[in-house]
Amino acid sequence: MSRQVKFIAACGAGVNSSHQIKDAVEAEMRKRGYNVKVDAYMIKDVNEDLLSKYDGYLTIAKTDLSFTPKIPLIDAGPILYRIPAMAKPVYDNVEKVVKEIN
Amino acid sequence: MSINSLFSPESVFVSEKTSSEAIFKEVSNKLFDEKCVKEAFFSEILKREKLYPTGIDTSPISENLPNIAVPHTEGEFVTTRLIVPVALKTPVCFKNMIAPDQDLQVKFLFMILNNDPEGQANILAQIMDFLRLTPVSKLQKLFNFTSTDKIYQFMSENFKK
């Protein structure tokens, strides 16, 4: 049985964008047959220690972190448009990370 | 939840201000009077927009739409769930949410007040669906309205849940 793959999504307020990405990625990965969980955070709460608990970081904007994340970063901003053709490459990148883990 | 409950006829604006700060001040004062936001809302929304801007380049939806922005704060600074439309008489510069180094001329704001992010459907997703699914010719009308009544009526009739 493959293990659950965990991603973090973060935005300024931790309310709108990150939740939208969480919902979209979880739903699409379920559809593709994977067990994926996304947690939504405020960017100010993202640090090295927090990221070490996750398999990948879904970013909305290019944010300057004070450290270099060791987990894959995936630019998930295009998902916000809810246009399937824009979202597909993001989902494909998420799937690639999930496949490498399982 | 009914469709109309995401909009309030008192919380619709047509602003003549020419900077994001002046717009936020005008809108925050009125929303505070209406008890929709807490006192810190103005400084929070200003700070948040600087750190994590919310301009959205609408060109992937249509080349014929003006850009929008969706300013918002953390849930703790508001007391309700509401979309606050703000038509700008003069386009104002915002930074792009997904590419913060890029300037966007913005003509219309959908400010999001959301004290319950886990609650129901995601408000930002609903706004993006509204932009994507409403015919461009209709949206152009909305973005050029100069009456708050007309904007409220339009949103009530066209914003689908």
Side-chain angles (χ1 to χ4, degrees):
Chain A
M1 183 68 189
S2 57
R3 81 159 167 94
Q4 186 182 60
V5 181
K6 284 177 76 183
F7 288 86
I8 178 169
C11 65
V15 179
N16 292 290
S17 324
S18 55
H19 272 266
Q20 187 178 335
I21 284 168
K22 167 189 163 64
D23 294 345
V25 168
E26 284 182 347
E28 177 67 20
M29 290 303 120
R30 206 176 305 128
K31 217 192 290 172
R32 295 187 183 194
Y34 302 105
N35 180 10
V36 166
K37 171 95 166 35
V38 182
D39 291 335
Y41 271 87
M42 271 183 265
I43 291 175
K44 72 174 174 60
D45 294 333
V46 173
N47 56 39
E48 237 172 328
D49 191 39
L50 181 69
L51 288 192
S52 70
K53 299 184 178 86
Y54 291 91
D55 301 300
Y57 180 13
L58 301 165
T59 62
I60 288 152
K62 285 173 211 76
T63 308
D64 289 329
L65 294 167
S66 54
F67 57 93
T68 311
K70 296 185 184 73
I71 55 173
L73 260 58
I74 297 172
D75 172 15
I79 287 178
L80 298 178
Y81 282 97
R82 295 176 67 82
I83 298 173
M86 286 179 79
K88 188 179 175 296
V90 182
Y91 296 141
D92 291 348
N93 283 335
V94 173
E95 184 172 356
K96 214 189 292 173
V97 171
V98 174
K99 274 183 166 168
E100 275 166 16
I101 283 164
N102 284 308
Chain B
M1 186 176 73
S2 75
I3 296 164
N4 289 357
S5 66
L6 269 178
F7 297 92
S8 152
E10 285 78 40
S11 302
V12 179
F13 297 80
V14 174
S15 180
E16 296 187 1
K17 307 289 188 218
T18 54
S19 76
S20 55
E21 181 166 352
I23 297 162
F24 290 154
K25 185 83 199 159
E26 180 184 14
V27 172
S28 301
N29 284 347
K30 174 103 187 294
L31 292 176
F32 179 69
D33 289 345
E34 287 166 13
K35 300 186 170 54
C36 294
V37 303
K38 299 184 185 169
E39 201 164 4
F41 181 79
F42 168 65
S43 58
E44 282 296 320
I45 202 154
L46 197 62
K47 185 172 80 183
R48 198 148 294 284
E49 194 66 35
K50 275 188 185 132
L51 286 172
Y52 311 112
T54 66
I56 294 176
D57 172 9
T58 56
S59 63
I61 298 167
S62 165
E63 288 294 340
N64 298 315
L65 283 180
N67 299 314
I68 64 149
V70 293
H72 56 266
T73 66
E74 292 160 43
E76 63 184 278
F77 302 106
V78 306
T79 61
T80 182
R81 276 185 121 239
L82 207 60
I83 298 172
V84 178
V86 186
L88 306 181
K89 289 206 167 163
T90 312
V92 168
C93 184
F94 278 73
K95 298 282 185 187
N96 188 334
M97 170 155 44
I98 62 177
D101 51 353
Q102 193 182 90
D103 285 333
L104 291 176
Q105 289 299 314
V106 162
K107 183 77 174 66
F108 202 93
L109 312 180
F110 294 93
M111 278 175 65
I112 303 172
L113 311 185
N114 188 358
N115 64 346
D116 181 21
E118 305 279 356
Q120 301 141 48
N122 182 289
I123 295 182
L124 179 58
Q126 287 176 270
I127 293 171
M128 295 310 287
D129 278 344
F130 166 72
L131 290 179
R132 201 168 53 88
L133 302 172
T134 307
V136 171
S137 57
K138 285 184 87 170
L139 287 175
Q140 285 170 333
K141 263 193 205 163
L142 165 69
F143 292 149
N144 286 306
F145 281 146
T146 51
S147 131
T148 56
D149 289 347
K150 279 191 173 160
I151 294 169
Y152 176 72
Q153 198 185 335
F154 186 100
M155 297 311 298
S156 303
E157 287 169 7
N158 292 281
F159 196 88
K160 307 236 174 0
K161 238 199 79 63

